Amino acid sequence: MTDDKKRDRLTKVIRSAGIENERLYRAVAEIDRADFLPAGLPAGVMYHDAPIQIGEGQTTSQPSLVAQMIDALELSTEDSALEIGTGYGYQTALLASICARVVSIEQSPELAQHARTNLAVQGFENVEVITGDGTHGAPAEAPFDGIVVSAAAPEVPSPLAEQLAEQGRMVIPLGPGGREEVLVYGKRSGRLEMLERMTLAAFVPLLRR
């Protein structure tokens, strides 16, 4: 099977995951996951719907789960998003394709630089990648209409709850690291309200610096 066919098959797998946002589905079809992974990986790995180790003790999630988490944010083209856990920038690119502005925080300086380079090469200009502790969020850039956390936390970090805009949505895996429940929250009258239990999944722990 050619690389293009493997990529098309992955796109169909993501589509079958129940993505409702057509802009997101178009982004999935247009953005090549291989552009946001370490060099030298075989196509059978890059285009498989599975997590991939990306170095620095970090993992990029399977594309279908990435798309489901973004879809649950229900972002519009005018919205802003905060991403915790940039990795190589694949999820960041998808977010930047469907909303106005993305601020992404990565605790690893090496991974953050890889992401900046990848995003710049692909022409994404509405993204800011910050190196730092994701549990603190980005208060100077808040509020955010959507927040997606790509690492496991025992509870929702209070700064992230504070930085979510009223009527905004947050997707976060809660648990000890390794077996978590991905939950969707909404902010109503200044408080977080759980809206949906998405799925069980395995994430690396959300690290503090």
Side-chain angles (χ1 to χ4, degrees):
M1 185 181 294
T2 66
D3 289 0
D4 286 344
K5 287 184 177 178
K6 290 176 182 177
R7 181 181 172 186
D8 290 343
R9 183 177 63 181
L10 176 60
T11 301
K12 291 177 181 177
V13 168
I14 296 172
R15 178 65 160 184
S16 68
I19 305 307
E20 297 182 3
N21 186 319
E22 285 299 321
R23 290 178 294 109
L24 175 57
Y25 180 67
R26 288 196 299 272
V28 165
E30 293 168 1
I31 295 171
D32 192 340
R33 190 191 193 197
D35 293 329
F36 296 92
L37 289 172
L41 293 174
V45 172
M46 293 187 296
Y47 299 124
H48 185 52
D49 188 36
I52 295 177
Q53 297 290 330
I54 56 174
E56 300 291 305
Q58 303 299 306
T59 302
T60 181
S61 298
Q62 60 266 40
S64 61
L65 179 57
V66 169
Q68 286 176 305
M69 291 173 70
I70 294 175
D71 195 37
L73 295 177
E74 298 184 354
L75 294 167
S76 76
T77 54
E78 293 80 29
D79 285 341
S80 62
L82 173 65
E83 175 190 37
I84 308 301
T86 318
Y88 267 63
Y90 176 66
Q91 179 173 258
T92 323
L94 294 177
L95 285 165
S97 297
I98 66 169
C99 69
R101 180 175 66 99
V102 180
V103 176
S104 186
I105 303 177
E106 171 55 54
Q107 62 88 27
S108 164
E110 181 177 347
L111 291 181
Q113 189 54 51
H114 280 305
R116 292 187 192 102
T117 299
N118 293 338
L119 291 161
V121 167
Q122 298 303 318
F124 289 98
E125 299 180 348
N126 59 333
V127 177
E128 179 182 4
V129 177
I130 299 171
T131 303
D133 185 341
T135 63
H136 298 317
E141 306 290 340
F144 298 96
D145 301 292
I147 298 176
V148 61
V149 183
S150 298
E155 60 187 7
V156 177
S158 58
L160 301 186
E162 293 167 2
Q163 291 167 37
L164 185 64
E166 184 69 19
Q167 300 300 315
R169 294 167 71 94
M170 179 191 303
V171 180
I172 181 171
L174 294 186
R179 186 64 171 174
E180 289 72 51
E181 190 170 22
V182 182
L183 303 177
V184 183
Y185 288 90
K187 197 165 192 179
R188 307 290 184 267
S189 300
R191 293 187 177 185
L192 285 188
E193 171 186 331
M194 194 180 72
L195 304 178
E196 179 185 352
R197 298 179 183 272
M198 283 186 60
T199 187
L200 294 175
F203 285 82
V204 297
L206 180 60
L207 301 177
R208 297 177 182 270
R209 292 177 57 131

